[in-house]
Amino acid sequence: MSEQFFREVSPEAPELQPILTGLFGEYAARYGDFFTNQKEVELTEWYLPPRGLFIVLERDGEIIAMGAYKPYDAVTAEFKRIWTRGDLRRQGLALLILQELERRALRAGYQRVFLTTGFRQPEAVKLYIGHGYQPQFALLEDMEVYSRPPHDGRLRFLKVIDVQSVAQAS
């Protein structure tokens, strides 16, 4: 039987490079250069405890999924980099990452979660809505609408987290 566990890592850890390459490769395949002019400044220290976190899910010594959070405001964590290796999709790994991030964010003192996904990621939209995240946009049949002004392509979600909601999600 395979052993699977979470591990905290630095966002600059060399062992993250293959999975980060996969993530950014998928973004490039789905969006081309759509988000090129919207690159966010990311600082490593935002993802370090006690206010931030970067975790990986490992199985048999391989990183198979990852996720992170950073402070959005004093009571809200912003979840980032939730991703599962392409060859291991549809096994519930993204949900495991989401639930672990919620548990750890709650322990770190956060009361809410903010996250975004792109307009061409229907599986992520389904995951977040299915687990209590409230869309801050209208759920339209054609999500490409959000790629045109006045929108920026990002679909925003919010969720209040507390001991009860985190326990129910587990």
Side-chain angles (χ1 to χ4, degrees):
M1 178 150 180
S2 297
E3 183 182 357
Q4 190 166 280
F5 62 92
F6 292 101
R7 180 169 60 94
E8 291 182 29
V9 296
S10 165
E12 294 179 343
E15 68 263 30
L16 276 179
Q17 287 317 302
I19 199 161
L20 286 171
T21 298
L23 168 71
F24 292 118
E26 182 162 335
Y27 287 169
R30 287 188 190 219
Y31 298 105
D33 63 359
F34 181 86
F35 288 108
T36 302
N37 296 330
Q38 300 180 38
K39 290 214 183 222
E40 298 176 55
V41 173
E42 297 267 319
L43 300 178
T44 298
E45 57 263 26
W46 293 346
Y47 295 98
L48 300 176
R51 299 296 292 158
L53 182 73
F54 206 109
I55 61 171
V56 295
L57 181 60
E58 289 188 8
R59 180 188 296 159
D60 299 329
E62 290 187 46
I63 295 174
I64 60 172
M66 67 179 171
Y69 67 75
K70 64 181 183 178
Y72 185 74
D73 62 34
V75 297
T76 310
E78 181 177 2
F79 285 9
K80 303 284 283 182
R81 308 287 181 264
I82 298 171
W83 197 71
T84 300
R85 219 172 65 189
D87 61 329
L88 298 172
R89 300 275 165 82
R90 306 200 55 78
Q91 296 181 24
L93 300 175
L95 176 58
L96 291 176
I97 291 286
L98 190 64
Q99 291 170 330
E100 186 68 13
L101 288 173
E102 286 179 0
R103 277 191 287 276
R104 292 180 185 224
L106 185 63
R107 271 194 306 227
Y110 290 110
Q111 299 167 17
R112 289 188 307 242
V113 171
F114 170 80
L115 61 80
T116 63
T117 193
F119 62 96
R120 291 185 182 149
Q121 292 175 261
E123 60 284 306
V125 170
K126 184 178 177 182
L127 171 69
Y128 301 139
I129 289 172
H131 295 286
Y133 286 77
Q134 299 301 309
Q136 306 300 294
F137 58 94
L139 291 170
L140 304 173
E141 191 170 316
D142 180 10
M143 299 301 263
E144 291 284 326
V145 166
Y146 294 111
S147 70
R148 298 186 290 273
H151 309 287
D152 65 1
R154 292 184 179 94
L155 306 178
R156 293 155 176 84
F157 292 85
L158 284 172
K159 181 178 181 179
V160 173
I161 55 172
D162 56 27
V163 174
Q164 184 178 355
S165 70
V166 170
Q168 287 174 345
S170 296

